[in-house]
Amino acid sequence: MTPELQNKLQTLQNFLRKRESVAVAFSGGVDSTFLLKVAHDVLDEKAIAITAHSEFFTEREMQETEAFCTKEKIRQIFYPFKALHIEGVAANPKNRCYLCKRHLFFQIQKIAAENSFHTLCEGSNVDDLQDFRPGLKAIEELRIESPLREAKLSKMEIRELSKELGLSTWNKPSFACLASRFVYGERITERRLKMISSTEQFLFQLGFKQFRVRVHGNDGNELARIEVLPEDFEKLFQHKAAILRECKQAGFAYVSLDLEGFRSGSMNVGK
């Protein structure tokens, strides 16, 4: 670990220590896992995890959060969160993430306070400031703490520190919420979310690590646009028949491969 990275870790530890107790909004991703681990190392039982159990996240991801908290002996609170019931979210406007996170973090703040944890932290990093992230506005409005940004940690640095701490998530692929698979303005429904979730789970079981299944088209006539890393194109074609069959069974009318390959935030093109 370089001296600079060591200093950033110490900055993060000191930031958390001064809060005395924190609740971490925990999704199980690289960032929130690292944040929760450091918070628990510093504060022990004065650090807890709050996880939203939502239709926007897969059951596999929920199970991974529970397994991590059990292993690390961290108290975890699950919050049933119906994102599609929030006014405006299902219509999927460009500020959908703001609408969703404003409601989500408001409720998580209440849960934290009810359990005598008056500081709520979330896991955005400095790289997130370079992307189209309307949800960050909600975090600022609600005065949610962002310790990783305060410590000026990038995604790559968080992965490096996660490896140093022995976290299996150090090389975990990024998986944004399932709502990010939709073109802005195209309606999000539970049926479509299940189509995406089941198809992505199939790709995961085939051994693909970094991928997305984006959805396009009218209800009942959807196209699945599959993004995988360019080096995985050959592997995808080896499993073409099985993937096509799975997509059709899930409800997709058409299936395509994005020749640009996987890229985070591809639905933000032309936003």
Side-chain angles (χ1 to χ4, degrees), residues 122-185:
E122 61 83 41
S124 62
N125 61 65
V126 293
D127 292 341
D128 293 325
L129 300 175
Q130 309 304 316
D131 196 7
F132 178 61
R133 304 271 178 155
L136 293 180
K137 180 182 177 184
I139 289 166
E140 292 170 3
E141 289 177 353
L142 293 169
R143 298 184 179 180
I144 310 297
E145 301 275 16
S146 302
L148 303 181
R149 282 196 279 153
E150 291 290 337
K152 302 188 186 315
L153 284 162
S154 68
K155 189 76 164 190
M156 185 170 64
E157 291 172 328
I158 292 165
R159 288 187 182 278
E160 183 177 342
L161 286 170
S162 295
K163 189 175 183 179
E164 290 277 348
L165 293 176
L167 298 175
S168 62
T169 49
W170 76 270
N171 64 346
K172 182 179 180 178
S174 59
F175 284 101
C177 85
L178 294 178
S180 67
R181 313 306 196 257
F182 293 78
V183 177
Y184 291 120

